[in-house]
Amino acid sequence: MPSNQQSTYYVTTPIYYVNDEPHLGHLYTTVAADVLARHQRLSGIDTYFLTGVDEHGLKVQQAAEARGIAPIDLADEVVAHYRALWPKFSISNDDFIRTSSEHHKRGVAAMWNRLRDAGALYKGFYEDWYCVPCETYWTETQLKEHGEDGVCPDCRRSVEKVQEESWFFRLSDYQQPLLDYYAAHPDFIGPDSRRNEVMRFVEGGLNDLSVSRNTFTWGVPVPDDAGHVIYVWIDALTNYLSALGFPDEDAEAMRFWPADIHLIGKDILRFHAIYWPAMLMAAGLPLPKRIFAHGWWTVDGEKMSKSKGNALQPAQMLEQVDADVIRYFLLREVPFGHDGDFSFDALKRRYNSELANDLGNMVNRTLSMLHKYRGGVLGVVHAEQAEYRAWIADIEAMQQEVDAAINTQAFHLALERIHQVVRHGNRMVEESAPWRLAKQGDDDRLDSVLYHLVEGLRLVVLQLSPFMPSKCDQLMAQIMGERAGLEQNLTHHGGWGLLTVGHRCAEPVPVFPRMEL
Ligand code: MSP
């Protein structure tokens, strides 16, 4: 069963800026984190799944000004959209953090004080560039190295000149400690290509980081220096700890620190893999175990953008497709870590072939035959034939491999492996031809094949449930019949043979109707 023997698991998403509505990119990370959380819970592990919003900084302040409202009012509005959205996609977060909350601000101030007390902060003067959309500082040299003058190397929008008194974090002190840490912890950053990218960047040298601003106010005030607000990334990164109760070391949720994984997009890797670990080292706190950066989605071949108006909004996508199908597609279509292209056509093709045809068929055929020939009731298994031993072995291998794939964030491989078992099951139906056995009156073999199919399906659905929770609830209800609603988990129900003679399945109701292209 699950290889993961630890007792707690903590997974986070980035906290999303409230300058704008949720889009496909936000959904992607959140669904991936949800699958990790659900898979761990299924394995009996005490799990904490955090998501939330990043409310401070110049970008949000400017977005609010553009609408003529206060930043907190803009934040409240966007937060309401996030809170309404996540349940529609079965997102099972244990907490939703807002950086405007008092407990978060207290955590940020405590983090600041720890850094200051450790001698990691000093006051100086910042004179260089800033990209508001990315909330990132750039030096003149970095801008020159990356081409165009006056343009952010990351997002290609205009940077602005900043000249103001500022607090600095001694990031340059952490170049070697970070390189040593990456070397000693090869799994710290995933995928490997991103790890190499970060290492090359750090090897190139680190500048001290400006960590306060004194020309706007929408942020957490610097303790004992009220004219300054703390840099929004220092504020935001601290959410992963403040949500657990930091700085109260004995807050109950602090048992989840260090985080098992921070899931993020590739664009915010530098903040998570360089600034955050350096801050934690300076503050004398344990580092997260892993940071995984996924790729970006385009839509119909184009970059999503506000100006093009092609940013896919998850709530609107639901008008066309079921939430679980979107979840499945996002994690099945593109290896996690790669960029991908979203189109409804590709989604429908994949849905029709893997879910409507293969899985849907296996469930419908199996349960229909069980009802037609056996009144919905499982009979005695007589023969221990080689084909059944191979079927059980395939399912047990699948369980191991899915666990390993999910634990390395290779979601597409997990789904591919589950799908292989489904195809195996459909082949078994074809080859054993239960309709012929029924005609021949070969009840022993009929009962055996139907039992193996139903019990196999149950284990397939259990493994698939983190990916498609509500579809799998429906499938499980049909398989479990009157025993539906039994708490399902891999530790207690993941072994072969839970269903026994006399178990009655419910009538099949199609869960994956074909979609028109
Ligand atoms: N507030 C910061 C994160 C702070 S975490 C301590 C932030 N917010 S964001 O709202 O701009 O973006 C959040 C996430 O959305 C990032 O991980 C980013 O990679 C992801 N995406 C934005 N557009 C995306 C796509 N087109 N495709 C996939 N993910 C994308 O950054």
Side-chain angles (χ1 to χ4, degrees):
M1 286 286 54
S3 56
N4 199 330
Q5 290 305 323
Q6 65 184 72
S7 60
T8 63
Y9 187 84
Y10 180 27
V11 52
T12 66
T13 71
I15 46 172
Y16 306 115
Y17 287 127
V18 292
N19 64 311
D20 214 349
E21 300 296 311
H23 63 56
L24 180 67
H26 308 131
L27 177 68
Y28 186 43
T29 336
T30 312
V31 164
D34 188 62
V35 170
L36 292 181
R38 286 178 181 273
H39 178 76
Q40 295 298 326
R41 290 191 200 112
L42 203 58
S43 308
I45 290 162
D46 183 18
T47 298
Y48 202 75
F49 167 20
L50 176 69
T51 188
V53 287
D54 191 352
E55 301 175 76
H56 293 136
L58 204 46
K59 164 153 125 168
V60 171
Q61 179 169 317
Q62 288 178 357
E65 277 162 7
R67 295 236 342 245
I69 58 178
I72 191 66
D73 293 333
L74 175 62
D76 285 347
E77 191 182 301
V78 176
V79 162
H81 291 156
Y82 273 103
R83 285 194 194 274
L85 181 66
W86 292 149
K88 292 185 183 151
F89 280 88
S90 304
I91 301 302
S92 63
N93 53 302
D94 295 287
D95 193 7
F96 183 96
I97 188 160
R98 295 188 59 165
T99 56
S100 62
S101 61
E102 289 310 318
H103 78 280
H104 171 73
K105 292 193 279 191
R106 195 168 71 97
V108 175
M111 175 63 82
W112 181 277
N113 290 336
R114 269 174 106 124
L115 296 175
R116 192 194 51 206
D117 295 348
L121 301 179
Y122 63 92
K123 210 166 186 179
F125 193 84
Y126 182 82
E127 185 164 12
D128 244 321
W129 299 93
Y130 194 76
C131 171
V132 178
C134 299
E135 299 282 15
T136 305
Y137 294 98
W138 293 105
T139 62
E140 186 80 28
T141 334
Q142 285 170 323
L143 293 187
K144 288 224 167 76
E145 269 170 23
H146 293 85
E148 293 161 71
D149 231 16
V151 168
C152 169
D154 277 351
C155 74
R156 305 258 140 223
R157 281 175 282 202
S158 303
V159 287
E160 59 177 48
K161 184 84 180 179
V162 173
Q163 288 169 299
E164 63 193 52
E165 185 187 61
S166 170
W167 285 87
F168 286 84
F169 170 57
R170 295 187 193 281
L171 184 62
S172 58
D173 283 357
Y174 293 90
Q175 178 179 9
Q176 201 50 48
L178 284 170
L179 289 171
D180 293 345
Y181 194 85
Y182 304 143
H185 301 86
D187 293 332
F188 183 53
I189 302 169
D192 284 345
S193 56
R194 298 284 166 209
R195 172 172 185 261
N196 296 335
E197 188 182 301
V198 169
M199 289 177 74
R200 277 197 305 275
F201 186 92
V202 175
E203 279 157 6
L206 296 174
N207 297 319
D208 286 351
L209 179 69
S210 164
V211 288
S212 76
R213 297 290 303 264
N214 68 359
T215 47
F216 69 92
T217 51
W218 182 234
V220 181
V222 168
D224 310 318
D225 195 357
H228 286 253
V229 292
I230 296 177
Y231 176 35
V232 63
W233 269 102
I234 301 289
D235 168 349
L237 287 162
T238 305
N239 92 89
Y240 300 131
L241 271 167
S242 65
L244 301 182
F246 176 84
D248 297 341
E249 306 269 348
D250 38 51
E252 200 169 320
M254 279 301 279
R255 71 182 186 282
F256 291 105
W257 192 259
D260 290 271
I261 187 161
H262 294 315
L263 283 188
I264 56 167
K266 62 181 183 180
D267 54 314
I268 56 175
L269 181 57
R270 210 176 327 128
F271 304 96
H272 284 82
I274 301 175
Y275 300 173
W276 180 227
M279 278 168 67
L280 292 167
M281 284 177 180
L285 293 161
L287 270 53
K289 293 180 200 154
R290 186 163 163 86
I291 294 157
F292 191 98
H294 64 67
W296 270 43
W297 286 94
T298 49
V299 174
D300 295 319
E302 292 199 53
K303 193 169 179 244
M304 279 193 287
S305 84
K306 222 177 171 180
S307 49
K308 280 194 214 119
N310 67 341
L312 280 179
Q313 298 204 343
Q316 285 173 7
M317 294 167 76
L318 291 177
E319 291 163 14
Q320 296 198 50
V321 196
D322 180 272
D324 272 9
V325 176
I326 298 171
R327 289 173 61 114
Y328 180 87
F329 178 78
L330 290 177
L331 296 179
R332 175 73 178 97
E333 184 75 359
V334 176
F336 205 58
H338 294 208
D339 292 336
D341 185 53
F342 186 95
S343 77
F344 281 101
D345 274 353
L347 178 146
K348 288 174 184 173
R349 272 195 299 274
R350 195 169 282 279
Y351 171 86
N352 280 337
S353 92
E354 294 179 4
L355 297 178
N357 278 359
D358 294 341
L359 178 60
N361 248 335
M362 183 179 167
V363 180
N364 276 326
R365 289 209 288 187
T366 303
L367 295 184
S368 305
M369 291 187 298
L370 186 69
H371 279 274
K372 184 161 174 200
Y373 306 131
R374 291 317 222 191
V377 178
L378 295 179
V380 181
V381 175
H382 292 271
E384 259 280 312
Q385 287 166 20
E387 68 176 305
Y388 300 138
R389 279 198 299 274
W391 170 240
I392 297 172
D394 190 21
I395 287 170
E396 287 174 350
M398 175 273 284
Q399 292 177 317
Q400 301 284 341
E401 288 165 41
V402 166
D403 186 52
I406 293 181
N407 285 332
T408 52
Q409 296 75 52
F411 300 108
H412 70 296
L413 292 182
L415 289 170
E416 163 68 34
R417 189 62 184 85
I418 295 171
H419 186 226
Q420 270 175 23
V421 171
V422 170
R423 286 196 307 247
H424 184 170
N426 280 327
R427 272 200 314 278
M428 234 166 69
V429 174
E430 293 301 325
E431 284 161 13
S432 58
W435 46 91
R436 209 177 308 132
L437 299 175
K439 215 176 198 171
Q440 293 163 350
D442 191 344
D443 289 353
D444 289 358
R445 286 182 63 199
L446 183 59
D447 277 335
S448 292
V449 70
L450 289 174
Y451 176 84
H452 283 89
L453 286 168
V454 172
E455 179 63 354
L457 260 178
R458 182 182 70 81
L459 295 176
V460 161
V461 172
L462 204 50
Q463 289 290 346
L464 204 52
S465 62
F467 294 91
M468 295 193 288
S470 84
K471 291 281 189 194
C472 288
D473 276 354
Q474 293 171 42
L475 294 173
M476 204 50 112
Q478 298 179 24
I479 295 167
M480 296 304 288
E482 284 173 358
R483 297 168 73 191
L486 254 192
E487 202 205 342
Q488 300 297 328
N489 74 43
L490 289 172
T491 324
H492 296 113
H493 304 132
W496 181 269
L498 179 77
L499 297 184
T500 48
V501 186
H503 172 84
R504 183 189 296 275
C505 295
E507 295 271 356
V509 180
V511 170
F512 299 109
R514 270 191 82 79
M515 273 192 228
E516 292 310 317
L517 273 187

